[in-house]
Each structure stands twice: as C-alpha cells, then as structure tokens.
Amino acid sequence: MKTVLITGSSRGIGAAIAQRLNNEYKIVINYNNSKDEAMKLLENLRKTNPYVIAVKADVSKEDDVNLLFDLAEKNFSHVDILINNAGISHFSQIQDIEFETWKKVINTNLNSVFLSSKRAIPNMIKNKYGVIINMSSIWGDFGASMEALYSTSKGAINTFTKALSKELAPSGIRVNAVAPGIVDTDMMRNDFSYQELEELKKEVSVNRFAKPEEIADLINYLISDQASYITGDIIHINGGFF
Ligand code: NAP
C-alpha cells in the first residue's frame, strides 16, 4: 500500500481527496486550525483503514513541514505520493494589500509547495518512484480581477510544476498540477455572498460549481499508474468556465 500525504486535508477538497483515496492507500491527513474536523475525518477513515494518521502542521513553516514528514515517515516509512493542496484565498484591490498579507498568502500557497516537495523528493528519488500533485487554480492561468495575489501564487505553482517535472522525470517521479474552476467549499462561501455566487454560476457552462468529490476523482486517476504518461501538465477541471 502506497502512502499519500495530503496537505490541508481537514476540510474542503483536501478532505474529499482523503475520503476518495481511503482503503487503497496509507493516508497522512494534515491540518492547521481545524482540529475538530481533522479528528472527525481521522475517526471516519479509520473505521475501514488502520493506516491513517492526522498531523497538525502549518505548512507555510519549514519546521512544521519537517515535523509533518518526520511523523509520516515514523508511521509509514516514507511518502510515495504528495498532494500539495493547502491554500488560502485573498480578495481585494492590489493597493489595499498589506505586505504582511502578501507574504502570508505566498508562504501558504506557494512556499509550502516548495518546502513539502523538497522534503518528499529525496526518498522518492531513492525509491525511483513518486507522484506530486500541486493544487493550482483556473486563476493561475487566466488571472482574476481583485485576486492578483492569489492568481500569482497559483501561476507560480504552474511554472514550478512544469520545471520540476523535467528535473524529476529521469528519477521516475511524475509532477502535475490540477487547476479547478469554482469548487463548492468554505473558501468560496467565505469569499462571496449568496447573490454573487448565483451570478458567478451563470458564467459556468454546466451552470453549477464543482463538488469537491469531482476534484478528488481526478486526483485519484492522476496519482494512479493509469496516468503513467502524464507529467508536467496543468489539468483543468472547470465545467467549461474557460
Ligand atoms: P478550504 O475549504 O478553505 O480548505 C483549506 C484547507 O487548507 C483546510 O484544510 C486548511 O486547514 C488548509 N490550510 C490552510 N492554510 C494552511 C496551513 N498554513 N497549513 C496547513 N493547512 C492549511 O479550501 P478548498 O476550497 O478546499 O481549497 C483547497 C485548495 O484548492 C487550495 O489550494 C485552493 O486554493 C484550491 N482551489 C480551490 C478552489 C475553490 O473554488 N474552492 C478553486 C481552485 C483551487 P485548517 O482549516 O486546518 O487550517
């Protein structure tokens, strides 16, 4: 059984991924603030899979990332598959963004991807096997008004993904990014009013937002050997939004 570590998996898309992969993989759940949600998820997954742990770590901090991997390796020897999912959004005009806020979003969305990948890769190279999935966004390619900061963090993830895939392909490691459109999670519910969300929905061809489970299904495929020829790609999943 391979081991999957999913950053930011206490809620939303990350939790849906953990649920989708349960029983087929050993799973490392990671949370930062949402301990109750993480414990509930852990309890639920453990009903059928003894190989699940939950670790508190702020993945924007190097010491926390090292602790997260130390605990994963102590329990499951090594991490085969890394899903860099943790992320936060920020919605405001650029001139209103404090530099501290800019750094917080970049640290959480982008620097966490570097820190976790850096920590995971040596074991993957040793085992000549590994899969890394980075959670991007539609805005990483297209950019969104009032979301220059968030879009920048995701655009950088796309470039990181493409470059790293070339560096790691000779070692048997695949690196891809998934770029969802709008997914029905707390992130969207906290950023927009009900009315704004209804308006936004009209711009999506299928006239609805994605369910987190639909993103999890794509990731389940991408990490499997069925996707063995896919690397260096940014896979869009947006219901025809773009
Ligand atoms: P969400 O419901 O707000 O959940 C965010 C998750 O990230 C939570 O589990 C949270 O953990 C974790 N997290 C945040 N900061 C963290 C940190 N410093 N250290 C560890 N964990 C951290 O968001 P979501 O919609 O599921 O988003 C998941 C990913 O998909 C993000 O990267 C997001 O940018 C991306 N995405 C979302 C959408 C969308 O429409 N929802 C679209 C495209 C891409 P705690 O609560 O425990 O702190």
Side-chain angles (χ1 to χ4, degrees), residues 27-181:
I27 293 178
V28 181
I29 298 167
N30 158 241
Y31 65 97
N32 188 29
N33 294 317
S34 306
K35 185 177 180 187
D36 290 351
E37 283 92 336
M39 290 306 131
K40 220 150 117 196
L41 180 65
L42 175 70
E43 194 185 333
N44 193 22
L45 301 193
R46 278 228 180 122
K47 282 180 191 157
T48 52
N49 182 3
Y51 305 109
V52 189
I53 59 167
V55 182
K56 174 174 165 53
D58 177 346
V59 291
S60 68
K61 297 186 174 144
E62 187 169 17
D63 287 351
D64 279 30
V65 169
N66 285 333
L67 176 88
L68 172 61
F69 277 82
D70 287 350
L71 286 172
E73 287 163 4
K74 193 173 164 211
N75 281 271
F76 302 139
S77 119
H78 61 273
V79 171
D80 302 286
I81 299 165
L82 168 65
I83 301 175
N84 285 312
N85 168 75
I88 51 175
S89 57
H90 187 75
F91 195 81
S92 79
Q93 296 183 86
I94 197 79
Q95 63 271 30
D96 294 334
I97 301 174
E98 298 292 338
F99 190 37
E100 282 311 308
T101 305
W102 179 275
K103 286 189 276 191
K104 184 178 179 196
V105 174
I106 296 294
N107 282 337
T108 306
N109 293 6
L110 177 62
N111 293 347
S112 65
V113 173
F114 158 69
L115 291 170
S116 294
S117 301
K118 182 180 158 145
R119 187 61 175 73
I121 286 164
N123 263 327
M124 291 179 174
I125 291 176
K126 199 169 80 191
N127 297 329
K128 294 189 166 38
Y129 176 87
V131 181
I132 299 175
I133 304 283
N134 298 322
M135 191 57 73
S136 182
S137 156
I138 193 172
W139 307 126
D141 262 330
F142 297 102
S145 171
M146 308 280 285
E147 291 191 84
L149 169 51
Y150 181 78
S151 303
T152 300
S153 72
K154 297 301 186 179
I157 284 178
N158 291 353
T159 316
F160 179 78
T161 300
K162 290 177 207 171
L164 192 63
S165 72
K166 291 182 177 160
E167 191 171 317
L168 295 180
S171 303
I173 301 166
R174 295 188 296 112
V175 187
N176 289 293
V178 168

